Amino acid sequence: MTGNDKGIKVLIIGAAGMIGRKLTARLLADGRIGEKSLAGLVLADIVMPEQPRAVLAIDTVTTDLSAPGAAEALIAHRPDLIFHLAAVVSGEAEADFDKGYRINLDGTRLLFEAIRHAGQPYRPRLVFTSSIAVFGAPFPEVIGDDFIPAPLTSYGTQKAIGELLLSDYSRRGIFDGIGIRLPTICVRPGLPNKAASGFFSSIIREPLAGKEAVLPVPDDVRHSHASPRAAVAFLIHAATIDLARLGARRNLSMPGLSVTVGEEIEALRRVAGEGAVRLIRREPDPLIAHIVEGWPRAFKAERAAALGFTAEKSFDEIVRIHIDDELAGKVGP
């Protein structure tokens, strides 16, 4: 990173989203990133991010990264560290081909180009959130670090292209980039989004709030998860580690907990009781089932583990984190 003793300036693109908000809160609570103090924040998204209360300078920006000049305006702040979180999520990217490519691919490349045209000696650290959707079937039960990305969805394809661009721009010294493939983040707070993976969270979140949840896939569907708390920790760790340790392979899969939907439900039963489980209604959705069928089920993230990335060890822990962080430790309406 290019920060100095006066601290570093941070740009979060996608700051209004769930992970963006939690990352902002964590950065402000810590007041620093690694050994560097936090000098300022720029929070950007397609909708206006919330303005946090803080002593340091915080700018909030409404922008469409794919619009002409938008990326250049953000890079004009010369942030030392950029978190690129913005994306059209999986289900929406599959349903709206043009929008998915415009936001997920064109927006990403325009950001990278804005950094390139800013010229040397400007060379920020860039943390890009990719996805396990870059992998497609057929794949082994457990995917290792050497498995080749071959996505079966538009979203996964857009993320895979972003990974390749990140590696090339990093190789050329334009920025110092790392791409982290997030497992499905669960339990996501708030209202459901258009992600095909949304039900993994809703079948836990809604019953914990005393509400009915719809389950569109069979109980034997297996998937890899990490909590929002772990996701924020991934991002901060990616922002501080020595990226020379990655070599030319700048993208890596994050650790996650591989469980079936049935195992999720059993964890809910253990933590919140039978009444919560009864609020789950099974309603098969062939489109969602087809999309999820093309996703990987488990990872052996040895590179990430060697670099110090960690996630939860049980789904009970993930459920309890949601209760503690979002429900003030209480279950029910």
Side-chain angles (χ1 to χ4, degrees), residues 129-188:
T129 51
S130 188
S131 168
I132 59 175
V134 301
F135 300 109
F139 35 61
E141 280 301 309
V142 179
I143 291 178
D145 289 324
D146 293 327
F147 192 73
I148 297 174
L152 293 178
T153 64
S154 293
Y155 176 74
T157 301
Q158 293 146 14
K159 287 294 187 179
I161 297 171
E163 288 189 4
L164 292 172
L165 291 173
L166 179 136
S167 292
D168 195 38
Y169 281 64
S170 295
R171 178 183 65 84
R172 287 179 165 271
I174 295 165
F175 52 68
D176 197 17
I178 177 173
I180 59 174
R181 299 179 189 122
L182 296 177
T184 291
I185 303 305
C186 188
V187 177
R188 300 181 68 94

